[in-house]
Amino acid sequence: MHEISVIRTIVSTLKEKYEGNFDKITKVEIEAGLLSNIQPVLIQNAFEALRLELPELMELELEVKVLPIIARCNKCNENFEVKYHRFICPCGEPTKEVIQGDELQISKVEFIKT
Ligand SMILES: [Zn+2]
């Protein structure tokens, strides 16, 4: 399953980056572009499954934000949202230049307020 390895990677990245403070993290926000093939529901399910394994995640909240695909037209130099995987600018020009949509990143980490 793709999502379980994604969530494992995210948790180990957080542990590495916030060594010593990991247990103070209350919420993590992830941004996943539509091209990354991440399904928010499946990520949440994978996270729930991982929680059973790692009780330290019990207090952690996970939020997944899906980012639309944005492409750039080289003819009119405009950015536009790609819908239904049609990489064609409203001006009619096809493009392959994706400027947003394939990312998968931790966008926000919240800690316990002391
Ligand atoms: Zn255009």
Side-chain angles (χ1 to χ4, degrees):
M1 204 171 115
H2 176 52
E3 278 77 11
I4 194 88
S5 66
V6 168
I7 195 68
R8 277 183 196 280
T9 305
I10 287 164
V11 168
S12 60
T13 303
L14 287 170
K15 278 189 175 172
E16 221 169 90
K17 196 171 173 190
Y18 301 104
E19 209 190 340
N21 283 320
F22 181 77
D23 56 347
K24 297 190 179 71
I25 300 175
T26 53
K27 188 177 171 184
V28 176
E29 192 182 281
I30 295 163
E31 284 178 346
L34 270 178
L35 288 172
S36 69
N37 280 321
I38 292 294
Q39 309 267 5
V41 175
L42 295 182
I43 277 281
Q44 293 290 359
N45 288 349
F47 185 61
E48 292 303 320
L50 193 61
R51 265 180 172 172
L52 298 175
E53 230 178 88
L54 304 168
E56 58 197 353
L57 301 179
M58 231 43 219
E59 304 296 318
L60 192 63
E61 192 189 331
L62 181 74
E63 193 181 331
V64 183
K65 282 195 170 172
V66 176
L67 300 179
I69 304 166
I70 306 288
R72 184 171 182 81
C73 173
N74 290 318
K75 196 180 171 192
C76 56
N77 287 321
E78 295 283 341
N79 296 340
F80 63 96
E81 187 181 340
V82 176
K83 285 178 182 161
Y84 315 111
H85 285 73
R86 273 174 58 92
F87 287 82
I88 298 166
C89 176
C91 80
E93 187 77 4
T95 182
K96 285 181 177 161
E97 205 184 323
V98 173
I99 60 169
Q100 178 189 287
D102 55 4
E103 54 276 276
L104 177 62
Q105 63 205 17
I106 298 165
S107 50
K108 208 161 125 193
V109 179
E110 285 175 21
F111 294 90
I112 294 171
K113 289 171 190 82
T114 46

